[in-house]
Amino acid sequence: KGDIVIGNDVWIGYEAVIMADVHIGNGAIIAARAVVTKDVPPYTIVGGVPARLIRKRFDEETIQKLKTLKWWEWPFEKIKQSLPYLTTGDIDRLLKNERCRMT
C-alpha cells in the first residue's frame, strides 16, 4: 500500500509490528509487541493490539521545543557536548545551551 516512515529518535520495542503506510513521528516510543495500524504523533508512547495512545512523553510546549531543536541533525561533536542535557531530558538547559552557542 505505502511506505512505513519512521522519524528520528524513535524506540521500537521487541516484536512490534508496524503496518504499511504508517508514519511514526520523531521521539515516539512503540511498546513491545504493539501492532501499529495508524500514524503515531511525535513524542507519543503507544502500545497494544491495535496500538493506542498510552501517553505523551512531554507536555505540548516541550514537544514543540524539541520539534524545533532537531538535535539529531547536529554534528557529532555538538551532540557529544550536549549529552548531559540529552540523557537527563533537561530540555530547558539544552535549549539555553543551544542559544548560547548561536550568539
Side-chain angles (χ1 to χ4, degrees):
K1 287 185 174 186
D3 292 336
I4 297 169
V5 179
I6 299 175
N8 300 286
D9 195 27
V10 171
W11 185 87
I12 301 174
Y14 179 73
E15 292 187 341
V17 175
I18 301 171
M19 303 304 285
D21 202 28
V22 170
H23 294 215
I24 309 296
N26 293 325
I29 294 176
I30 311 300
R33 297 192 171 131
V35 177
V36 184
T37 59
K38 297 179 184 175
D39 291 352
V40 178
Y43 300 97
T44 300
I45 302 170
V46 298
V49 180
R52 289 187 211 121
L53 172 82
I54 294 173
R55 68 177 178 89
K56 295 284 191 171
R57 290 182 61 196
F58 305 102
D59 60 60
E60 256 334 291
E61 181 182 345
T62 302
I63 290 172
Q64 291 308 315
K65 289 176 184 178
L66 286 166
K67 287 167 74 173
T68 301
L69 196 60
K70 296 183 183 180
W71 65 266
W72 49 84
E73 293 180 0
W74 294 353
F76 175 75
E77 281 303 315
K78 187 174 178 181
I79 292 173
K80 189 174 163 184
Q81 292 171 350
S82 301
L83 274 177
Y85 312 121
L86 289 167
T87 57
T88 61
D90 193 343
I91 307 306
D92 290 328
R93 292 209 40 208
L94 182 64
L95 288 166
K96 183 178 178 183
N97 195 35
E98 173 63 9
R99 281 193 287 268
C100 289
R101 284 194 199 122
M102 293 172 63
T103 56

